Amino acid sequence: MAKKQKKQQSAGTPATVALTAAGVAFTVHAYEHDPSHPSYGEEAAEAMGVSPDRVFKTLVAEVDGELTVAVVPVAGTLDLKALAAAVSGKRAVLADPAAAERTTGYVRGGISPLGQRKKLRTVLDDSASAHATVCVSAGRRGLEVELAPGDLAELTGAVLAPVGRA
């Protein structure tokens, strides 16, 4: 996997820079983003030929007024009540997209759980641990990184919890 990393290093985003600095093995997957595709995550899974259960989307929510990142499979949806419970909160709602972009430093559809402008508390759906590797946004539309879920959890300081719904 590390061979592709060196080959793709010119695609440096804050996410890939953070992974490189941490010395974590990862693979970069680039594909041509289609702006007319209805789902960024499903588009990524299709373009890479990877099961949607292994491709995770990064969603920003507000839990009791605090921005929180949820990383869930693109094949499902985010359970807001479970997200709130995972961080000992009472109420969660999806964050305003402009606030999510401003805080993370990424654009919608390209928000990565890694290398964010302001590190937010993160919850990774526990289904990630069933896979040897998972894919998440590398920080821009049409660019994904594949890495071990344990590395993703460690680098983001994520709590593992069942926050995704099929």
Side-chain angles (χ1 to χ4, degrees), residues 1 7 12 14 16-17 22 38 42 47 49 54 59 70 72 86-87 91 93 99 132 136 138 140 146 158-159 164:
M1 280 197 228
K7 193 182 207 182
T16 59
V17 169
E42 289 175 13
R54 281 190 46 231
L59 302 171
V72 298
V87 294
R91 183 171 181 271
V93 295
V136 296
R140 68 178 161 89
E146 181 178 352
V159 171

Side-chain angles (χ1 to χ4, degrees), residues 76-147:
T77 59
L78 172 61
D79 182 334
L80 289 165
K81 286 183 181 182
L83 176 63
V87 294
S88 302
K90 294 182 182 186
R91 183 171 181 271
V93 295
L94 285 177
D96 174 65
E101 290 179 344
R102 188 173 47 255
T103 304
T104 64
Y106 294 119
V107 297
R108 200 168 72 93
I111 294 178
S112 177
L114 301 156
Q116 295 175 355
R117 180 178 291 148
K118 178 182 179 197
K119 189 172 182 175
L120 300 174
R121 65 183 174 177
T122 301
V123 180
L124 174 60
D125 186 67
D126 62 357
S127 69
S129 57
H131 306 288
T133 61
V134 294
C135 299
V136 296
S137 175
R140 68 178 161 89
R141 296 171 188 152
L143 195 67
E144 295 277 314
V145 288
E146 181 178 352
L147 72 163

Side-chain angles (χ1 to χ4, degrees), residues 6 18 37 44 46-47 57 59 63 67-68 75 126 130-133 138 141 149 152 163 166:
K6 289 181 178 147
H37 200 289
E46 291 167 10
K57 56 188 168 187
L59 302 171
V63 179
L67 290 180
T68 303
D126 62 357
H131 306 288
T133 61
R141 296 171 188 152
L152 177 61
V163 294

